[in-house]
């Protein structure tokens, strides 16, 4: 007994010693509060140093003279609601330019501020001008040409929410000049240094990437790579037609490499791939003065820089000798490149900024971004490798808490977002925060991550949740348990975006592994995720089809349902904390609402935070701190780590405001046919005789079909009944078709329909029955569909019915439509989501944007229709998602001409 008591005392002493050796609990504000200073840049003329620092309690842009002390700096912006995250100088140093959205909605505007402008006493800053003052529009900056320092090249999707047209914007006046209208699904544009638009990049209907030369003959494809390959322009070589290009095209090529490609002749010249044969080409440094390539960059376990000139090799060696150990990166420079901003960071240091004078070799410390953060108490991040269950080697980073034995630790698995991204060695606030709280942290670069070659990336295609991507994460848990590092009863999982999805998937599909989970803006249902992606992602939708799946493909849809954690919520046993931004355009709040409701309804422990002023990730300081406080408290409760109990009153109040009582969460109810009103009030007296000419483009099964059609609306009678007769005449590839719908002149409900072309259709409509036949060759298919209430037609029958609706902003209605292809009545919700000025071949129109979406579980049928604001509301533009049985894809239609009728 004495021996047992002695052993117990020894164990107690050992445990106490371990606790005593742990570093002090670091205040969460040092991890997640605003840095003291960040983002330094030097103006091209070398007169000013700019940086980000708090002004009015929010991170804003400041400026000082290059030789002035930092306490002499003055603020340039005065945003009080959202930090300014990024900015740059105009080429002539006249303006500081920055982008800003509203509440995380990612509809960025570009602003310009004159550092020498008059100070507004109310804000303490010069006035900022909005160069892109368009609502519900996302601006993208493509080029800041050296040759025209008073202009920038900007993409705007005000004409079409899915596509960015390219404009030249005058920085002094804000005047914009159209360079090219994007009518060919281009996702990105490339300029040379003179400001000339040279290339476009788009995703083809097959999912392949196409590089297009911009010329007098339009857009000409000059290079392509498949959906499972990568290629893209980097920068034009000065004075030539050659471009530096990244590519891994070819069966015998795995790692992305750097080549020269001549955009006129198509000639290729190999430049370089990773000298160590491990990683994709990651980046390059160029001289803006000479145009020469200075260095190439690869990221293996750590960043590797390869100088390309003798002079730069000497400079890099000199910098490494004078700067602290860590990853060196080059920032902004003066126009003559005499002075450069250089930053250094490492796993236990978020970084410092230096001013480097290339002429004298002097290196001056400007600031440390978080000088109060005690690096000596932070934990080292180590690259590790482990084997997945199928033998594939998985690269990862492991951070062990300082001062604790490396055995039996609570562990947090942190899958990265993307998922087509990767984790890198270096400072990460969440990693260090968790390690300081006593957790081991594993960050796996599971298959599907970028940077390790196309075979590793493609191995993740459609392998979400129940597939190999999640298995790689699960095998990381097994690796830590086998090494004795992890306490198998205290393993948690936390991630954002795709990492949030992987958290939900881990809890749902491998519930035996995890004791707690934190999902941060993570999708719970892959089908609803795909339906809600931002419209400006449309040009890259085919990449989602290949790497995640196509919801309109029956086989993919079935798999996506299995891979959606929401559908396996009953299997979740571990407590869950869900964090969501209300304005998230990528992962809508409904994704979090639905998993919270599912778990709540089964009596499962679930906590919920929602920030009404955030999007895909939290930018606001108080939101970040409140979220971190709740996260560490949650993990301490369920995994046993340390927890900082103190909290400033304002953070406590913010946390209370973010916390949602899960009992109050409700889901938007899906209307059914039984819920739908019998007839939506569509007024046929609003209709006027007209002839409308439309041009349509249909993308389906890798093909592009072009259709021209003429729609004639005339007054007539049928069996003594006053009707509107709507005749559509269409032509495609030399084939003609005719479709006639006759509608009651008062209600616009269909009475009769007949169509001819490759087959023949004859239908009669009554309030509770639709019957007729479809003839295709020798086959006759009878149609007989009973309805509980009258249904509108589809196609022209529905669009003309829209023309008689009392549309206005905020209008919503539920309608029944008969879908001829599916041969059934579908319930559709239509809503006016906004207004927009549309310019097409027929003219310029003020329109309502009408969204039409099916309220059943069948894919396809979703449409966005721009209709004339002044009645009748004839369609000006439409985009319709086709159902799977029609091959999926999209049909886009625009009004080409309109002529008033005579009867």
């Amino acid at each position: 007994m004495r021996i047992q008591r002695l052993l117990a005392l020894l164990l107690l002493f050992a445990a106490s010693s371990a606790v005593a050796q742990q570093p002090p609990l670091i205040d969460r504000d040092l991890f997640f509060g605003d840095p003291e200073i960040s983002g330094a840049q030097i103006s091209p003329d070398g007169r000013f140093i700019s940086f980000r620092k708090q002004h009015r309690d929010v991170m804003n842009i400041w400026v000082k003279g290059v030789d002035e002390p930092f306490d002499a700096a003055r603020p340039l912006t005065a945003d009080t609601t959202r930090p300014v995250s990024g900015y740059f100088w105009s080429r002539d140093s006249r303006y500081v330019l920055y982008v800003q959205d509203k509440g995380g909605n990612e509809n960025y505007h570009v602003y310009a501020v004159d550092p020498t402008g008059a100070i507004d006493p109310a804000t303490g800053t010069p006035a900022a001008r909005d160069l892109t003052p368009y609502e519900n529009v996302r601006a993208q900056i493509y080029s800041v040409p050296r040759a025209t320092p008073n202009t920038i090249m900007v993409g705007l999707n005000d004409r079409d929410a899915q596509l960015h047209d390219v404009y030249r914007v005058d920085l002094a006046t804000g005047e914009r000049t159209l360079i090219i209208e994007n009518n060919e699904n281009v996702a990105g544009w490339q300029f040379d240094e003179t400001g000339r638009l040279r290339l476009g990049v788009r995703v083809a209907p097959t999912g392949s990437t196409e590089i297009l030369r911009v010329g007098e003959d339009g857009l000409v494809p000059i290079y392509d790579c498949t959906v499972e390959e990568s290629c893209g322009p980097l920068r034009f070589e000065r004075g030539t037609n050659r471009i530096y290009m990244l590519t891994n095209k070819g069966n015998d090529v795995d790692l992305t490499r750097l080549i020269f490609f001549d955009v006129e002749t198509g000639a290729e010249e190999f430049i370089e791939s990773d000298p160590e044969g491990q990683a994709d080409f990651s980046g390059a440094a160029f001289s803006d003065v000479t145009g020469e390539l200075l260095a190439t960059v690869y990221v293996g376990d750590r960043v590797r820089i390869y100088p390309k000139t003798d002079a730069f090799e000497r400079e890099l060696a000199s910098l490494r000798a004078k700067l602290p150990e860590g990853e060196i990166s080059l920032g902004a420079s003066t126009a003559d490149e005499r002075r450069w901003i250089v930053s250094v960071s490492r796993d236990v240091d978020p970084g410092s900024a230096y001013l480097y004078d290339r002429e004298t070799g002097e290196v001056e410390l400007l600031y440390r971004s978080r000088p109060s953060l005690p690096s000596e108490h932070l934990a080292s991040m180590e690259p590790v490798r482990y084997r997945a269950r199928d033998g594939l080697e998985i690269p990862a980073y492991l951070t062990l808490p300082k001062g604790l034995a490396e055995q039996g630790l609570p562990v947090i698995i942190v899958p990265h977002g993307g998922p087509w991204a990767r984790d890198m060695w270096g400072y990460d606030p969440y990693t260090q925060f968790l390690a300081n709280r006593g957790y081991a942290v594993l960050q796996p670069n599971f298959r599907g991550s970028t940077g390790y070659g196309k075979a590793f990336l493609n191995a993740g295609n459609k392998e979400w949740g129940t597939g190999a991507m999640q298995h790689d994460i699960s095998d990381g848990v097994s690796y830590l348990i086998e090494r004795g590092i992890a306490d198998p009863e205290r393993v948690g999982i936390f991630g954002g975006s795709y990492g949030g999805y992987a958290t939900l998937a881990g809890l749902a599909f491998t519930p035996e592994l995890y004791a707690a989970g934190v999902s941060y803006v993570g999708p719970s249902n892959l089908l609803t995720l795909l339906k809600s992606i931002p419209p400006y992602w449309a040009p890259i939708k085919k990449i989602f089809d290949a790497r995640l799946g196509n919801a309109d493909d029956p086989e993919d849809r079935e798999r996506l349902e299995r891979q959606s954690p929401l559908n396996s919520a009953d299997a979740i046993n571990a407590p869950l904390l869900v964090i969501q931004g209300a304005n998230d355009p990528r992962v809508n709040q409904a994704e979090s609402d639905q998993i919270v409701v599912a778990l709540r309804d089964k009596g499962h422990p679930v906590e919920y935070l929602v920030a009404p002023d955030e999007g895909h990730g939290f930018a606001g300081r108080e939101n970040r701190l409140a979220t971190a406080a709740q996260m560490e408290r949650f993990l301490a409760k369920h995994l046993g780590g340390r927890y900082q109990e103190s909290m400033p009153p304002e953070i406590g109040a913010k946390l209370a405001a973010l916390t949602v009582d899960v009992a109050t969460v409700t889901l938007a109810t899906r209307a059914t046919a039984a819920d739908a009103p019998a007839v939506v009030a569509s007024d046929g007296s609003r209709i006027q005789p007209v002839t409308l000419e439309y041009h349509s483009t249909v993308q389906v099964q890798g093909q592009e079909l072009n259709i021209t059609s003429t729609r004639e609306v005339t007054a007539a009678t049928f069996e003594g009944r006053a009707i509107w007769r709507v005749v559509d005449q269409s032509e495609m590839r030399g084939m003609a078709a005719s479709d006639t719908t006759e509608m009651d002149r008062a209600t616009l409900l269909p009475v009769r329909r007949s169509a001819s072309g490759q087959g023949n259709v004859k239908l009669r409509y009554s309030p509770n029955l639709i019957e007729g036949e479809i003839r295709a060759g020798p086959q006759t298919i009878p149609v007989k569909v009973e309805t509980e209430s009258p249904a509108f037609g589809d196609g022209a029958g529905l669009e003309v019915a829209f023309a008689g609706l009392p549309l206005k902003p905020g209008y919503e209605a539920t309608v029944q439509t008969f879908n001829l292809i599916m041969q059934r009545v579908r319930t559709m919700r239509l809503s006016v989501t906004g207004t927009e000025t549309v310019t097409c071949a027929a003219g310029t129109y003020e329109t309502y944007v009408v969204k039409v979406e099916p309220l059943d579980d069948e894919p396809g049928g979703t449409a966005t229709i721009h209709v004339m604001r002044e009645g009748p509301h004839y369609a000006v533009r439409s985009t319709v998602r086709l159902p799977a049985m029609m091959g999926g894809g999209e049909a886009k239609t625009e009004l080409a001409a309109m002529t008033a009728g005579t009867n």
Side-chain angles (χ1 to χ4, degrees), residues 107-251:
N107 287 327
Y108 295 105
H109 290 214
V110 182
Y111 295 86
V113 59
D114 181 354
T116 64
I119 303 299
D120 182 347
T123 63
T125 66
R129 291 179 296 111
D130 187 352
L131 299 178
T132 55
Y134 314 107
E135 288 302 311
N136 301 315
V137 170
R138 177 186 172 97
Q140 295 181 345
I141 299 173
Y142 291 127
S143 178
V144 186
R146 289 171 59 87
T148 55
N150 60 318
T151 65
I152 59 173
M153 309 305 175
V154 175
L156 296 170
N157 62 338
D158 55 336
R159 180 184 60 87
D160 184 334
Q162 296 185 352
L163 301 171
H164 282 75
D165 301 327
V166 185
Y167 292 87
R168 177 182 294 106
V169 176
D170 187 290
L171 297 180
T173 66
E175 181 182 358
R176 67 174 185 173
T177 304
L178 181 66
I179 296 176
I180 191 168
E181 187 173 282
N182 184 2
N183 293 312
E184 299 194 42
N185 287 326
V186 175
W189 303 92
Q190 184 77 37
F191 291 76
D192 62 22
E193 66 174 0
T194 70
R196 176 185 167 196
L197 179 59
R198 303 289 299 274
L199 299 176
V201 180
R202 72 179 174 196
V203 178
T206 60
S208 62
T209 298
E210 292 183 336
I211 298 175
L212 313 163
R213 186 180 64 242
V214 180
E216 295 181 357
D217 49 353
L219 302 181
V220 179
I222 57 174
Y223 193 90
D224 66 82
C225 57
T226 71
V227 71
E228 292 195 336
E229 299 172 329
S230 300
C231 57
L234 181 61
R235 177 189 176 111
F236 271 93
E237 184 184 34
R238 178 169 295 178
T240 76
N241 290 319
R242 298 202 304 178
I243 192 162
Y244 292 94
M245 185 187 295
L246 317 181
T247 181
N248 58 15
K249 181 177 181 178
N251 294 332

Side-chain angles (χ1 to χ4, degrees), residues 272 274-276 294-298 304-308 312 316:
E272 183 183 273
D274 183 9
E276 296 189 14
L294 300 179
T296 54
V297 181
Y298 299 86
R304 292 182 268 114
I305 302 174
Y306 295 89
K308 298 289 113 180
F312 187 77
L316 184 60

Side-chain angles (χ1 to χ4, degrees), residues 412-413 415 492-496 499-504 507 516-521 575-579 627 630-632 634-635:
I412 308 293
I413 307 296
I493 183 169
F494 153 66
Y501 164 82
T503 293
L504 298 176
L507 299 188
V518 181
S519 173
Y520 186 9
V521 295
L576 175 66
L577 170 62
V578 177
I579 305 167
T627 299
Q630 182 60 17
M631 177 177 160
E632 68 169 315
F634 174 85
L635 294 174

Side-chain angles (χ1 to χ4, degrees), residues 324-327 344-352 354 368-371 373-376 378-379 425-428 432:
E325 195 278 332
E327 309 290 30
V344 182
S345 64
R346 55 195 174 106
D347 54 352
V348 295
D349 184 353
S352 305
Y354 298 81
R368 293 183 174 87
S369 62
R370 295 181 184 270
L373 185 65
S375 293
E376 69 274 14
L378 300 185
W425 185 90
Y427 178 80
D428 179 88
Q432 293 297 336

Side-chain angles (χ1 to χ4, degrees), residues 129 137 151 183-184 208 265 378 387 392 490 531 552 615-616 626 660 669 823 825 859 873-874 880 900:
R129 291 179 296 111
V137 170
T151 65
N183 293 312
E184 299 194 42
S208 62
T265 68
L378 300 185
R387 292 286 175 185
L392 185 66
R490 293 192 295 162
K531 287 178 66 176
D552 291 338
H616 198 62
V660 176
T669 57
Q823 289 199 39
V825 172
H873 306 298
Y874 293 129
V880 180

Side-chain angles (χ1 to χ4, degrees), residues 82 103-104 106 415-418 430 464 494-504 518-526 529 537 576-593 595-596 608-611 614-619 627:
R82 194 161 182 83
E106 299 187 13
H416 61 70
Y430 279 106
W464 292 39
F494 153 66
S497 194
Y498 176 83
Y501 164 82
T503 293
L504 298 176
V518 181
S519 173
Y520 186 9
V521 295
S524 61
N525 185 332
L526 298 182
L529 172 72
W537 284 10
L576 175 66
L577 170 62
V578 177
I579 305 167
Q580 178 67 45
N583 303 320
D584 193 337
R586 308 184 195 188
V587 178
N588 292 349
Q589 184 178 335
E591 293 295 322
S592 290
D593 285 349
I595 193 69
V596 167
Y608 197 16
L609 302 181
V610 176
E614 297 285 6
H616 198 62
F618 291 2
T627 299

Side-chain angles (χ1 to χ4, degrees), residues 437-581:
R437 271 46 178 169
Y439 302 101
V441 180
L442 182 72
Q443 297 168 266
N445 280 319
F446 42 84
R447 72 192 77 192
S449 300
T450 55
Y452 298 99
K454 67 185 179 187
F456 192 85
L457 172 64
N458 294 331
N461 288 353
K462 302 185 179 181
E463 293 290 327
W464 292 39
T466 58
M469 291 172 70
Q470 193 73 29
H471 296 336
D472 292 346
I473 298 169
S474 301
D475 293 341
V477 177
S478 299
Y479 161 75
L480 294 180
I481 293 173
E482 290 168 3
R483 281 189 56 181
I485 293 173
D487 178 349
E489 302 300 318
R490 293 192 295 162
V491 178
I493 183 169
F494 153 66
S497 194
Y498 176 83
Y501 164 82
T503 293
L504 298 176
L507 299 188
F509 304 132
T510 53
E512 71 282 358
L513 290 182
Y514 300 107
V518 181
S519 173
Y520 186 9
V521 295
S524 61
N525 185 332
L526 298 182
L527 292 172
T528 52
L529 172 72
L530 287 171
K531 287 178 66 176
S532 62
I533 62 174
Y536 46 82
W537 284 10
I540 60 171
K541 176 63 169 60
K542 283 295 182 180
I543 296 176
F544 281 83
D545 291 348
R547 298 210 180 278
L548 175 53
N550 183 349
D552 291 338
D553 178 89
E555 184 176 341
D556 274 0
R557 183 182 179 86
E558 182 180 352
R559 176 182 48 76
L560 290 166
E561 288 176 343
R562 293 195 308 271
Q563 292 174 331
S564 297
L566 179 67
N567 297 330
S568 295
D570 287 346
I572 294 177
N573 297 318
L576 175 66
L577 170 62
V578 177
I579 305 167
Q580 178 67 45

